[in-house]
Amino acid sequence: FLTMTVLSITKSEDVPLAPIDGKPTLVYWNSAGWSNPIRLALAVANVDFVDARIEAGDPSDSASFKKAWMDAKHVLGSTGILEFPNLPYYMEGDSVKLVQSEAIVRHVARKYNLYPTSMPEHRFMMLSEEIKDYDGYFILQSYVGGPDVIAQFIKEGVPNKLAIWGKIAHDGNALIDGPDGKINILDIKLYCFLRKVKFAQEELNIKPSAQEGWVDAYMKRVEDVPEVKAYLDSDYLHRPLNNPHAKFASK
């Protein structure tokens, strides 16, 4: 199934300014961060894409930390290649140049028929933003809050949210589009967030709540999708979740 190319980038001159070899090109840090749902969506859609992963470097060396990206960011902006240069960004053909993770993931989902079929678009948009909020809080607090804040979120914030998502995901008995449905972008985004929850629970020795009883069965259903399985067995970026200067999940 899998035909993607992974690039490890350490120098600014190697940061892509256009699609590599004419292939859809995703550029982000060498971390899960905001980009794993995009990576997984492209893999599920069997897209031959380039996954360019920028190394942030050593945070104790202020002169070189993130320098590859900061220098390239200036070039991307000053030349007008990107209107709002930021990570992640995604390039496809001559006309698609996107930043903002949600915009990228929705573009990929729309182009490759990964929108859910079991709900109207307004509900899909709400649920997609909901997962983004959870993920965004996890990422933010990994940098500014640290393990104690993440632990509080996992123990107090997550269980009630996942109790609702359990109903949306049929208590783990099917993917979101139902027993006869195919994997869609909500499954992909939810799965990537659940992986972070699982990681935090193991790292911080937190027992899953009773409201999360459906999670393991649901995650297995996602992982049993052939394209997902192939990706998880290849260059899926399991860790780190965040860059080296994060207070949590930086390794």
Side-chain angles (χ1 to χ4, degrees), residues 25-28 33-39 69 73 82-91 96-110 128-129 132-133 135-136 139 189:
T25 299
L26 175 67
V27 186
Y28 190 62
W34 287 107
S35 279
N36 265 12
I38 305 169
R39 293 168 174 139
W69 164 240
K73 180 178 181 178
L82 293 178
E83 293 172 290
F84 305 102
N86 207 346
L87 294 174
Y89 67 90
Y90 177 79
M91 295 179 167
V96 177
K97 300 174 182 180
L98 290 172
V99 298
Q100 296 296 338
S101 59
E102 188 71 7
I104 297 169
V105 84
R106 289 193 191 181
H107 166 77
V108 171
R110 183 178 291 108
S128 185
E129 290 287 347
K132 181 186 175 185
D133 282 354
D135 203 19
I139 293 170
K189 291 182 66 175

Side-chain angles (χ1 to χ4, degrees), residues 62-209:
S62 59
S64 64
F65 185 55
K66 293 187 176 181
K67 181 172 173 56
W69 164 240
M70 296 309 295
D71 289 351
K73 180 178 181 178
H74 173 74
V75 173
L76 287 161
S78 63
T79 57
I81 294 173
L82 293 178
E83 293 172 290
F84 305 102
N86 207 346
L87 294 174
Y89 67 90
Y90 177 79
M91 295 179 167
E92 180 185 279
D94 295 328
S95 59
V96 177
K97 300 174 182 180
L98 290 172
V99 298
Q100 296 296 338
S101 59
E102 188 71 7
I104 297 169
V105 84
R106 289 193 191 181
H107 166 77
V108 171
R110 183 178 291 108
K111 178 165 184 175
Y112 297 106
N113 298 314
L114 293 174
Y115 268 37
T117 59
S118 60
M119 62 185 69
E121 186 172 7
H122 63 267
R123 177 166 171 76
F124 155 68
M125 292 172 66
M126 178 189 73
L127 294 177
S128 185
E129 290 287 347
E130 190 73 13
I131 303 172
K132 181 186 175 185
D133 282 354
Y134 309 158
D135 203 19
Y137 186 81
F138 188 103
I139 293 170
L140 174 65
Q141 296 306 330
S142 292
Y143 287 93
V144 304
D148 290 344
V149 178
I150 293 293
Q152 183 179 19
F153 175 54
I154 296 299
K155 289 189 286 188
E156 299 177 12
V158 166
N160 288 338
K161 303 287 190 185
L162 292 188
I164 298 170
W165 277 97
K167 298 174 183 177
I168 298 168
H170 313 284
D171 293 323
N173 294 315
L175 297 174
I176 288 175
D177 262 338
D180 299 321
K182 296 180 180 180
I183 188 169
N184 67 59
I185 197 64
L186 289 181
D187 292 305
I188 291 167
K189 291 182 66 175
L190 180 59
Y191 173 79
C192 289
F193 176 68
L194 291 174
R195 285 187 66 97
K196 292 185 179 182
V197 171
K198 288 286 190 182
F199 173 87
Q201 289 170 337
E202 293 171 6
E203 195 79 3
L204 302 172
N205 196 26
I206 298 171
K207 184 179 179 180
S209 67

Side-chain angles (χ1 to χ4, degrees), residues 28-31 39 53-56 66 69 87 237 243:
Y28 190 62
W29 300 112
N30 185 27
S31 65
R39 293 168 174 139
R53 304 173 181 178
I54 302 175
E55 299 287 349
K66 293 187 176 181
W69 164 240
L87 294 174
L237 193 58
N243 266 343

Side-chain angles (χ1 to χ4, degrees), residues 205-232:
N205 196 26
I206 298 171
K207 184 179 179 180
S209 67
Q211 294 99 314
E212 298 167 52
W214 60 275
V215 168
D216 287 345
Y218 173 77
M219 291 182 73
K220 186 177 186 306
R221 287 187 181 278
V222 174
E223 290 164 355
D224 283 344
V225 173
E227 293 86 352
V228 175
K229 186 177 187 304
Y231 185 42
L232 294 178

